[in-house]
Every structure is written in C-alpha cells, then in structure tokens.
Amino acid sequence: MPTLVGVPFTQRSEATRTSILTAARTLLAERGFEATTIRAVAARAGIDPSMVMRYYGSKDGLFRASVELDLRLDLVPREPLDGVGAALARHFLSRWEGDLADEAITLLLRSAGTTPMAAEQLRTIFDEQVAGFVGGVIPGDRAEAVHRAGLVSTQLLGLALTRYVLELPPVVAMDAGTVVASVGPVLQHHLTGAVAEPTPVR
Amino acid sequence: MPTLVGVPFTQRSEATRTSILTAARTLLAERGFEATTIRAVAARAGIDPSMVMRYYGSKDGLFRASVELDLRLDLVPREPLDGVGAALARHFLSRWEGDLADEAITLLLRSAGTTPMAAEQLRTIFDEQVAGFVGGVIPGDRAEAVHRAGLVSTQLLGLALTRYVLELPPVVAMDAGTVVASVGPVLQHHLTGAVAEPTPVR
C-alpha cells in the first residue's frame, strides 16, 4: 500500500535487502568468505554498514542469507517414473545455467571446501530438498530414499563440480542435450535401479 | 652409498623434502592456501625457511609439489572389460581411504573452489591420468575417450566431494562394498555404455 513518502517501508526494505545480497554474492564470488567484510559489502551496495548488521546480524548471517537457496525441485515432473532421471538432469541445467540460474548455487559449491558453513548449508539442502524430492518420487521407506538421494547427489554435484568449478574441458563442452542423454540414465539408475547388494571389497 | 659423514647427501635431501611436504600438507589442510606461509611450513618442519625456498622456489612451487599426485590408475585391472567400472570404484576407495591413501588428494579437491592453481592441477591430472586410462580401456578415438573420461570424472569426483568434503551422511555411511556395488555400474555405463544421442532440451 503506498504511503505519503512514496514507497511503502516494506518495499524499500526489500530493495535494500536485495542490493545487500547482490553485493555480498559478487564479493564472495570474487574474494571468498574470509576476505569479504561487512564494510566492503555495504560500500558496494552504497549503504551504511550498520544497515547490513541490522538486517543480517553478523557476517555469518549475511553469508547464510547469500547462499540460501531453493533448488526448485518442485518443478521436476515426477511422471512417468522412468523419465525422472532425464527430467532431473534437464532441471539441473536450467537451475545452474538456464532460466532459473543464480550465482548462489555455484558460490556455495566453490566455498564448500574451505568454509565449513557452506558445507553445512549443502548438507541441509541435501536433507530438506534432495532427500525430500527422492522420497516423493520412489516408493519405499525414508531410509531408502535418503540412501538413493545420497547416490543421486554424488552424480549431480559431481556434474556441477566438474562443469562449473573445475571446468574440465569435455564436461564444459557438452551441450545440454548431451548432458541429459549421458547423465539422465545414471540418475535414473540411482533413483529406481535395483538397490545394489554390497559386494565384499578384497 | 654411505659417506664419511654418515648419511649420504641424497638421502638427507630426500628426508628434508619429505618433512617439508608433510608440514606443508598439514598446514594447507588446516588453514588453506592463502593463510599458509613458507615461514610457518619451515617452522613446523624444524628447518630454516631458506631451505624451503631452495627446494621449491616459491609458495606456488611448494603448493604444486604438495598436491602432486599419481592416481595409480595403472593398478586398476582392465580385464574383463565389463568389470572395469567396479574395479575403478574399488581402486578409488583404496586410493582415498585405503592402502594407497594420502592427504594430497582430498586437499586438492578441498582447495579447488578457491585456489585456481588447485583447479588447474586437477585438470592436468584429468588430462594426463584419467583420460589416458580410459583411452587404454576402450576402443575408439581419443575424442571419445576424453568425452567418456569427462563423464567418469563427474561420478568419481562427485563421490569424493560428497564423501570426503561435504560428508553427506548417507554417502559417508556406505561401506566399501556398497560403494562398489552402487557406483561400479554407473562408471561402467560411462566407460562402455552406448554413447548417448543428444536429445533436444526444451
């Protein structure tokens, strides 16, 4: 609802938050977590550092908000069941580099090795989003869904790591159709293939 | 050959190099690349910083030597062809957490997101070792081997990322036999499955 001073408070507040998060993501991507300061984020967003503290409490709080992300797995079609692997691969590309892309997801993966908070955030996303999605797709108990979601994550996050962080030439070179055709069947196997019987090692 | 002063020079030199690399790996694992100094490495190894410079030239040179690694893919049996996926999964576990384990491999993966040199080193290892191994296993031209090696790497490095860096609970919980049974067939698919026809995406 408009107010006498033009823009209602909540809208202004939202715009400020957005500009803080945009500045934070840019600096985090450029410098990493250790070297990014509240002061630098505020300077880049063109506001006072006290505003950043008011909204996010601390550098940790700001980092968490910067990399909070929704994989939007609700958008992946769950039928037909034997097409979920390919649908997941297609969604993944859209989320990382297509219509649904943002910087947070790569930033989080990039930071995971050196910033424990990033690894923790990825574990939470796994638990709340990936395992939840898999549980909704396959019949079976929660333990099986979590196990399969773990396997799905090995392939999906490995694709993200090699394509966006390490930039291995043949993985970067694949067009979207090739990624879906190559990785889709593997995701399908992890989702609905026979649960493998452990075999003795050595 | 023993000398008059006891230990021959080359042996002493080798021992010094080993203690420098051990100190460097420990500090790199604890603090990351940015915060690790030549001085701190020398102090930990109990030698003079000038010795570190004498052997490795610079901090970059020391880092490169600390994470130089041989995946020992020569040890993976290449026959029967339909067992190479499982053999590769089994070797991987041995190299990361078994008889052949060392710290360098996890350190390198951990640093890849924030230290460009680590990502570069991983690209070199991919090109010289993984692509070479795959080329030796499958018939076909070099381009196909490189493409398949890229796919193999998405799954292998994704397993390493989720098991040793992110520590996703279900991936950490799998025993060795389950890893081989779950990931072996996928590696086999990437190695020898039909090369997928690209499908249009949207």
Side-chain angles (χ1 to χ4, degrees):
Chain A
M1 189 188 291
T3 67
L4 283 178
V5 292
V7 187
F9 177 75
T10 49
Q11 269 185 32
R12 275 190 292 136
S13 159
E14 194 52 40
T16 305
R17 280 174 187 270
T18 301
S19 65
I20 292 171
L21 291 182
T22 303
R25 284 178 190 144
T26 306
L27 290 177
L28 285 166
E30 278 172 21
R31 309 179 182 179
F33 177 73
E34 296 302 333
T36 297
T37 61
I38 292 277
R39 183 172 297 276
V41 170
R44 192 170 184 110
I47 58 168
D48 194 82
S50 66
M51 285 291 274
V52 178
M53 292 302 283
R54 182 175 147 199
Y55 284 126
Y56 297 104
S58 65
K59 185 174 155 184
D60 280 12
L62 175 62
F63 180 83
R64 260 183 246 275
S66 304
V67 294
E68 207 157 72
L69 65 94
D70 183 344
L71 295 175
R72 302 302 313 274
L73 294 174
D74 56 303
L75 297 176
V76 180
R78 299 181 183 195
E79 291 177 338
L81 184 58
D82 65 1
V84 177
L88 190 55
R90 199 174 292 119
H91 175 75
F92 175 92
L93 287 173
S94 170
R95 188 65 182 78
W96 254 257
E97 61 196 72
D99 300 350
L100 300 172
D102 64 38
E103 288 164 318
I105 201 160
T106 304
L107 180 59
L108 197 53
L109 199 60
R110 218 173 248 291
S111 314
T114 46
T115 308
M117 210 187 315
E120 188 195 313
Q121 187 105 331
L122 278 166
R123 280 192 295 272
T124 304
I125 289 167
F126 165 83
D127 201 47
E128 293 175 357
Q129 298 181 40
V130 184
F133 169 78
V134 175
V137 167
I138 61 158
D141 58 17
R142 164 86 184 164
E144 185 188 334
V146 169
H147 173 70
R148 287 182 182 276
L151 289 168
V152 164
S153 297
T154 64
Q155 178 62 81
L156 270 189
L157 291 176
L159 178 60
L161 178 74
T162 51
R163 192 168 168 96
Y164 309 119
V165 177
L166 299 183
E167 300 185 1
L168 291 187
V171 183
V172 172
M174 281 180 231
D175 62 29
T178 303
V179 171
V180 173
S182 304
V183 173
V186 164
L187 293 173
Q188 190 69 40
H189 176 83
H190 287 323
L191 279 167
T192 60
V195 175
E197 286 297 312
T199 50
V201 174
R202 255 178 260 211
Chain B
M1 189 188 291
T3 67
L4 284 178
V5 293
V7 186
F9 177 74
T10 49
Q11 267 184 35
R12 272 189 294 135
S13 160
E14 195 53 39
T16 304
R17 280 175 187 270
T18 302
S19 65
I20 292 171
L21 291 181
T22 304
R25 284 177 189 145
T26 306
L27 290 177
L28 286 166
E30 279 172 19
R31 308 177 183 180
F33 178 72
E34 296 303 335
T36 298
T37 61
I38 291 278
R39 184 173 296 277
V41 170
R44 192 170 184 111
I47 58 168
D48 194 82
S50 66
M51 284 292 275
V52 179
M53 292 301 283
R54 181 174 149 199
Y55 285 126
Y56 297 103
S58 64
K59 185 173 154 182
D60 280 11
L62 176 61
F63 181 82
R64 262 182 245 276
S66 302
V67 294
E68 207 157 72
L69 65 94
D70 183 344
L71 295 175
R72 302 303 312 275
L73 295 174
D74 57 302
L75 297 175
V76 180
R78 299 179 183 196
E79 290 179 339
L81 184 58
D82 66 1
V84 177
L88 190 55
R90 200 174 291 120
H91 175 75
F92 174 93
L93 287 173
S94 169
R95 187 66 184 77
W96 253 257
E97 60 196 73
D99 299 351
L100 300 170
D102 63 38
E103 287 163 319
I105 200 160
T106 304
L107 181 57
L108 197 53
L109 198 61
R110 218 172 249 289
S111 313
T114 46
T115 307
M117 208 187 314
E120 189 195 315
Q121 186 105 332
L122 277 166
R123 280 192 295 272
T124 303
I125 289 168
F126 165 81
D127 201 47
E128 293 175 357
Q129 298 180 40
V130 184
F133 169 78
V134 174
V137 167
I138 61 158
D141 57 17
R142 163 86 183 164
E144 185 187 334
V146 169
H147 173 72
R148 287 182 182 277
L151 289 168
V152 164
S153 297
T154 64
Q155 178 62 80
L156 270 190
L157 291 176
L159 178 60
L161 178 74
T162 51
R163 192 168 168 96
Y164 308 119
V165 177
L166 299 183
E167 301 185 1
L168 291 187
V171 184
V172 172
M174 280 180 231
D175 61 30
T178 303
V179 171
V180 173
S182 303
V183 173
V186 164
L187 293 172
Q188 189 69 40
H189 176 82
H190 287 322
L191 279 167
T192 60
V195 174
E197 285 298 311
T199 51
V201 173
R202 255 174 257 227

